[in-house]
Amino acid sequence: KSLPEESHLANDDNGTMTSSLDKVNDAMTLMPQEPFHKGQNLNNGMQTIDKDAFYVNQREIEAHQINLQNLCRICGGSFKNDPCKRNHPVHGPVDDEMQALLRKKERKATSWPDLLNKVFKIDVREDMDTIHPTNFCHNCWSVIQRKFSNVPCEVYFPRKGTMEWHPHSTSCDVCGTSSHGIKRKKQDPSPQGGKRLRIIAERARKVMYARSQKQVNSKNIMKKITNCKKIHLSTKILTVDYPVDFVKSISCQICEHILADPVETTCKHLFCRLCILKCLKIIGSYCPSCRYPCFPTDLVNPVRSFLSILNTLAVRCPVKDCHEEVTLGKYSHHLSSHKEKKE
């Protein structure tokens, strides 16, 4: 083809392309804008739903926190079950009664987190108010008290039995059972022995009970013989709550008072001089503890180190309106000062 014809064809193609583009633009302007507006409405609706859900969650969390204030941090029990409504702060200082008991046991603890960690193995220092209660019940307080006062405890909280707290959820145990408290997981019952083992254990228990009764009766007889209640000091006036075995080692095997003028037998048992001499005279020449032959001439003084330990023990003066603490070695001098005041 010649050049003029080619230029003419190119101009025709450009014209068709421009006309097609114009048609597309017209079609875009004629298209309805309803889907765009519908998308905006949907977004606005979702935002309002999210706001409502946020406010609902906030209200549920606030209600959850209020319910937590009525539950014990340790056992999950409700404070409403206690008629006196007694509770103690988890992060607060130790109260005066518990502080006095710890001082008697020579323990040092000024805050509840330390005691809770020692007794229940629970670390409350990293607790969150939205998940964990901030108080514990008086029943758990009494468990701590019995723990440090050597009193048998009827309520026992094993390591796996303490409460495990979780954040608020749709199936929240706290919000559903806040009035009655949360039940801990039940422990699997220990398998009991057979019938034969139970019979053997029952017989052994009866034999031990009969022996203990005989020992108690013999001790009561010897106490009546000595009759030293008004002369010797009771172990209850010791200012420190010593272990039971230590208290037995410093007390007479007959009257169970603190040793006064102690003497030692050939079988290494300790008695007050007055008590053992009375028993040897009435019962016979044998040791009241082990029935080993014993005579008044066999009695010797204990070693000096034991006597020095005995004399350094701190006791509380039993005289009325006198709460002074003195050592056992200086007690007689302290008692004579009271007699001088009376005179």
Side-chain angles (χ1 to χ4, degrees):
K1 293 181 181 179
S2 61
L3 287 173
E5 287 179 359
E6 287 179 1
S7 62
H8 181 69
L9 286 171
N11 290 331
D12 290 340
D13 293 337
N14 290 333
T16 55
M17 285 180 69
T18 52
S19 61
S20 61
L21 285 171
D22 291 337
K23 287 179 182 179
V24 170
N25 290 329
D26 293 338
M28 288 292 290
T29 53
L30 290 173
M31 282 178 67
Q33 302 296 326
E34 289 179 2
F36 178 73
H37 293 298
K38 283 182 181 178
Q40 278 189 340
N41 294 332
L42 284 172
N43 289 333
N44 293 332
M46 290 294 291
Q47 286 178 357
T48 54
I49 290 167
D50 290 340
K51 285 181 180 179
D52 293 339
F54 175 76
Y55 290 129
V56 168
N57 288 334
Q58 284 292 108
R59 285 196 296 271
E60 286 183 358
I61 291 169
E62 289 173 2
H64 179 77
Q65 283 183 293
I66 293 169
N67 291 331
L68 284 175
Q69 299 305 315
N70 297 321
L71 298 177
C72 174
R73 167 66 177 86
I74 300 164
C75 65
S78 176
F79 299 143
K80 296 176 182 178
N81 297 332
D82 186 5
C84 299
K85 301 290 189 295
R86 294 167 296 182
N87 56 72
H88 308 271
V90 169
H91 300 285
V94 178
D95 57 85
D96 296 336
E97 187 177 350
M98 189 67 69
Q99 194 70 261
L101 180 62
L102 292 171
R103 197 179 296 114
K104 192 175 182 182
K105 295 291 269 182
E106 294 183 339
R107 300 287 182 91
K108 291 182 180 179
T110 55
S111 61
W112 283 118
D114 297 334
L115 286 179
L116 296 177
N117 194 12
K118 286 179 182 177
V119 178
F120 299 106
K121 310 298 181 189
I122 298 175
D123 189 8
V124 297
R125 291 182 180 88
E126 298 180 358
D127 282 6
M128 298 175 65
D129 294 343
T130 54
I131 300 174
H132 304 91
T134 56
N135 297 315
F136 64 96
C137 63
H138 191 72
N139 188 34
C140 295
W141 181 91
S142 62
V143 172
I144 300 171
Q145 187 191 33
R146 291 167 190 166
K147 169 83 174 177
F148 290 102
S149 60
N150 292 334
V151 177
C153 180
E154 295 177 0
V155 182
Y156 175 65
F157 293 94
R159 178 69 186 272
K160 294 180 181 179
T162 52
M163 275 303 302
E164 293 182 2
W165 302 94
H166 304 284
H168 177 67
S169 61
T170 53
S171 59
C172 182
D173 295 331
V174 173
C175 299
T177 59
S178 60
S179 59
H180 305 290
I182 302 173
K183 291 184 178 180
R184 294 179 286 117
K185 292 181 180 179
K186 292 183 179 180
Q187 301 290 321
D188 295 331
S190 58
Q192 296 180 352
K195 186 177 179 181
R196 186 178 177 184
L197 291 174
R198 285 199 298 272
I199 293 169
I200 294 170
E202 189 65 27
R203 286 178 181 174
R205 197 180 296 113
K206 287 179 180 179
V207 170
M208 292 297 291
Y209 179 75
R211 288 179 182 175
S212 64
Q213 286 297 109
K214 286 182 180 179
Q215 290 177 357
V216 168
N217 292 333
S218 62
K219 279 189 176 181
N220 290 333
I221 292 168
M222 287 189 290
K223 283 181 182 179
K224 287 179 181 179
I225 292 170
T226 56
N227 193 20
C228 61
K229 188 176 181 181
K230 294 181 180 179
I231 305 170
H232 298 158
L233 298 174
S234 172
T235 55
K236 293 180 181 178
I237 67 170
L238 292 168
T239 56
V240 179
D241 191 5
Y242 292 109
V244 178
D245 294 333
F246 179 79
V247 175
K248 285 182 179 179
S249 67
I250 60 164
S251 57
C252 177
Q253 300 294 312
I254 298 171
C255 65
E256 296 181 348
H257 294 145
I258 299 174
L259 286 166
D261 191 12
V263 290
E264 186 179 346
T265 60
T266 51
C267 51
K268 302 297 181 182
H269 289 117
L270 292 169
F271 304 94
C272 302
R273 188 182 294 274
L274 184 65
C275 297
I276 186 66
L277 289 175
K278 282 185 178 180
C279 285
L280 291 176
K281 187 177 180 180
I282 296 172
I283 296 176
S285 299
Y286 58 85
C287 175
S289 294
C290 63
R291 305 282 174 171
Y292 189 80
C294 178
F295 299 93
T297 53
D298 298 332
L299 302 176
V300 294
N301 293 326
V303 292
R304 291 181 181 179
S305 56
F306 176 79
L307 293 175
S308 63
I309 292 170
L310 187 66
N311 290 327
T312 53
L313 293 175
V315 294
R316 191 177 291 103
C317 181
V319 178
K320 190 177 180 181
D321 298 331
C322 180
H323 303 288
E324 192 173 345
E325 296 180 3
V326 292
T327 57
L328 195 62
K330 298 178 180 179
Y331 175 75
S332 57
H333 178 71
H334 177 77
L335 194 63
S336 61
S337 65
H338 282 298
K339 290 179 181 179
E340 288 176 2
K341 287 179 183 178
K342 283 184 180 180
E343 291 174 358

